Amino acid sequence: MARTNRELDRDQKREEILRAARELFLEHGYEGTSMQRLAARVKVAPNTLYWYFADKDALLIGVMKRVVQAGLGEYERRRGTALDAQVRWMLGLFWETRTLIATVHNRAQVSSEVRAWHDTAHRMIEKAIEAELRSRGLANGHEVAAARIMSFIAEGVVAHQSSKAEQTRIVRLLMHLLRLDVDDGALR
Amino acid sequence: MARTNRELDRDQKREEILRAARELFLEHGYEGTSMQRLAARVKVAPNTLYWYFADKDALLIGVMKRVVQAGLGEYERRRGTALDAQVRWMLGLFWETRTLIATVHNRAQVSSEVRAWHDTAHRMIEKAIEAELRSRGLANGHEVAAARIMSFIAEGVVAHQSSKAEQTRIVRLLMHLLRLDVDDGALR
DNA sequence: ACCTGAACACCGTTCAAGT
DNA sequence: ACCTGAACACCGTTCAAGT
C-alpha cells in the first residue's frame, strides 16, 4: 500500500532510534542504558522517544525483533551447511546477544508485551529447529520436544558462559543422544 | 567457636532481614521490592539495611543461599525416591523460585558477586545430579555434560513457563535419550 | 556498634506549552 | 504531528549526626 511521506519519515526516525538503542543495549546493557543517554545519542529530548515508543520495553521488543529477523535471515542463507558449522553458528549468535536474552527473560516477568513477543519468537526459532531436525532424518515423532530442548540448551550454554570446550562436550553429547551421528573431529 | 552476644544479635537481625526479603522478593520480585519497602517491613530506616548488607545484590545472594540450602537439604531427605517423583519435585522447586532465578541471571551480568555465587550454586546442584545419575546406572563417562544439560533444561522449562503436559513430554524424551528407561505411566 | 533524617544523583515517564 | 523544558514520583545509596 502507498505510504505518505509523513509515514516514511516516521519509520526512518523509528529505525534510527532502534539502531542507536541496539548499539547502546549491546554495549552497556538494557538497564545500563538510560532513556536520557539514548536520547542524547539520537539528538532529541528524552521525552521525544515516547512519541515513537510506548515505553522502554517497547524499545527492547523493537530491538529484539530486528535481531531475531536478522538471525533467521542469515539462517536461510546458510541452508544446507554442515551440521556442526550450523550448531556453532547458532551458539555464536546467541552468544553475541546473551545479555539481551537475559534481559528479555527478566522483563518478561513484568511486562506482558515482552512476554508475548518472547513466546512468539521462541515458537519461530523452534519451528526452524524442528524443520532442520526433520530434514536431517530425525522425524521420530519427538521433534517438537527435541527442538525445545535444544533451544533451552542453547540458552543455558550462553547464559552460563560455558567455555568453547564445554560447549563442544555438551553439543557432542546431545548429538550422540539424538543419534545424529557426527564424527568427533567435526565438532572439536 | 564461641560467639559473643553481640554477634548473635547481629546474626538474628540479619536473619530477620533475609526472611522479610525472601518473602517480598518472591511476592513482588526483586525489582518490585524497594529498599524502602523492605526496611518498612523490618521496621528500620532504609539506610539501616546497609549496616547489615553491602548492597541490594548482597541481599539477593543471602536470600538465594537460604533457598538453595533448603532445597539441597530437602533433597537429602528424599534420597532413594522414585525417579519420576524426584524429577517432578526438582522442577516444582525451580518453578517456585523462577522469578528469582531469572533475576539472578540478570544481575549476574552486572554484579561479579552475584555471578560468583551463581557459578558456585550451579556447581553444587550439578554435582548432586551427577551423583544421582551415577547411582541410577548412567556412569557412561558423560555424567558431567548430562548433569549440565539437565540443569539447563530445568531452567528452560520453568523460565518459559512450560505447561505440565509439556514438562512431561520434555522429561520423558530426555529420560528416553539418556536410556533411563521409565515407564510412560509414571511420568504422566 | 548501631541507627537515623536528610540529602544525592540518578531513573522512567508525564505534562503543559510551543511549532 | 512532532518536539521540548520542566517537573513528578520514584530508586539505591551515602553522609553527618546522634546514642
Side-chain angles (χ1 to χ4, degrees):
Chain A
M1 62 216 121
R3 326 200 72 212
T4 63
N5 279 338
R6 263 249 140 72
E7 282 168 335
L8 284 174
D9 278 3
R10 189 173 167 78
D11 280 5
Q12 262 177 11
K13 196 74 180 244
R14 266 185 65 102
E15 279 304 307
E16 198 188 328
I17 295 172
L18 284 176
R19 207 163 38 232
R22 199 188 93 103
E23 275 178 36
L24 291 175
F25 287 176
L26 284 173
E27 192 176 347
H28 304 106
Y30 179 72
E31 278 152 30
T33 303
S34 67
M35 297 298 270
Q36 181 72 247
R37 193 175 196 166
L38 173 57
R41 176 71 72 103
V42 191
K43 291 189 172 60
V44 291
N47 48 4
T48 298
L49 299 174
Y50 290 87
W51 183 257
Y52 295 92
F53 296 92
D55 51 28
K56 206 183 174 185
D57 285 319
L59 227 20
L60 176 64
I61 294 171
V63 167
M64 290 309 289
K65 273 185 177 168
R66 302 176 107 248
V67 169
V68 171
Q69 271 316 321
L72 288 175
E74 174 72 12
Y75 167 71
E76 285 303 327
R77 263 169 269 122
R78 300 180 115 266
R79 270 282 167 80
T81 322
L83 177 62
D84 64 303
Q86 211 157 28
V87 171
R88 257 181 302 171
W89 169 78
M90 183 190 166
L91 288 180
L93 194 64
F94 273 53
W95 180 260
E96 284 166 34
T97 50
R98 66 193 183 284
T99 62
L100 291 185
I101 293 173
T103 299
V104 166
H105 288 150
N106 193 50
R107 294 304 307 167
Q109 296 182 92
V110 164
S111 154
S112 58
E113 285 85 3
V114 172
R115 163 145 300 274
W117 174 80
H118 168 270
D119 292 351
T120 318
H122 246 280
R123 233 155 3 230
M124 286 174 64
I125 292 168
E126 283 162 29
K127 286 282 168 229
I129 299 179
E130 283 166 38
E132 192 65 41
L133 287 177
R134 276 189 213 101
S135 80
R136 301 238 177 223
L138 191 93
N140 60 0
H142 287 304
E143 309 92 272
V144 177
R148 200 146 173 90
I149 283 179
M150 291 185 78
S151 75
F152 289 168
I153 291 175
E155 279 185 353
V157 159
V158 301
H160 297 81
Q161 316 218 11
S162 297
S163 64
K164 280 276 167 216
E166 201 199 14
Q167 289 185 24
T168 306
R169 238 177 296 130
I170 288 176
V171 170
R172 202 186 294 154
L173 174 58
L174 186 69
M175 293 299 167
H176 179 68
L177 291 177
L178 292 172
R179 287 166 220 186
L180 287 171
D181 290 319
V182 60
D183 72 302
D184 272 6
L187 275 166
R188 204 170 286 129
Chain B
M1 61 216 129
R3 327 200 71 212
T4 65
N5 280 339
R6 263 248 140 75
E7 283 168 335
L8 285 174
D9 279 3
R10 189 175 168 77
D11 281 4
Q12 263 177 11
K13 196 72 180 249
R14 266 185 64 102
E15 280 304 306
E16 197 188 328
I17 294 172
L18 285 176
R19 206 163 37 234
R22 200 188 91 101
E23 275 178 36
L24 291 175
F25 287 175
L26 284 174
E27 193 177 345
H28 305 105
Y30 179 73
E31 277 151 29
T33 304
S34 68
M35 296 299 270
Q36 181 74 248
R37 193 175 196 166
L38 173 57
R41 177 71 71 102
V42 191
K43 292 191 171 61
V44 291
N47 48 2
T48 298
L49 298 173
Y50 291 86
W51 182 258
Y52 294 93
F53 296 91
D55 52 27
K56 205 183 174 185
D57 285 319
L59 228 21
L60 176 65
I61 294 171
V63 166
M64 290 309 289
K65 273 185 177 168
R66 301 176 109 248
V67 169
V68 171
Q69 272 315 320
L72 287 175
E74 174 72 12
Y75 166 71
E76 285 303 326
R77 263 169 268 122
R78 298 179 117 265
R79 269 281 166 82
T81 323
L83 178 61
D84 64 304
Q86 212 156 27
V87 170
R88 257 182 302 173
W89 168 78
M90 183 188 164
L91 288 180
L93 194 65
F94 272 54
W95 180 260
E96 285 167 34
T97 51
R98 68 194 181 281
T99 62
L100 291 186
I101 293 173
T103 299
V104 166
H105 287 151
N106 193 49
R107 294 303 307 167
Q109 295 182 93
V110 164
S111 155
S112 57
E113 285 84 3
V114 173
R115 164 145 298 274
W117 174 81
H118 168 271
D119 291 351
T120 319
H122 245 280
R123 231 153 7 229
M124 287 174 63
I125 292 169
E126 283 162 28
K127 285 281 168 231
I129 299 180
E130 284 166 37
E132 193 66 39
L133 286 177
R134 277 191 211 99
S135 81
R136 302 241 176 218
L138 191 93
N140 61 358
H142 288 305
E143 309 92 273
V144 177
R148 200 146 173 91
I149 282 179
M150 291 184 77
S151 74
F152 289 168
I153 292 176
E155 280 185 353
V157 159
V158 300
H160 298 81
Q161 315 218 12
S162 297
S163 64
K164 280 277 168 214
E166 200 198 14
Q167 289 184 25
T168 305
R169 238 177 297 131
I170 288 176
V171 170
R172 201 187 293 154
L173 175 58
L174 185 69
M175 293 299 170
H176 179 67
L177 291 177
L178 292 171
R179 286 166 221 184
L180 286 171
D181 292 319
V182 60
D183 73 301
D184 271 8
L187 274 165
R188 202 170 285 128

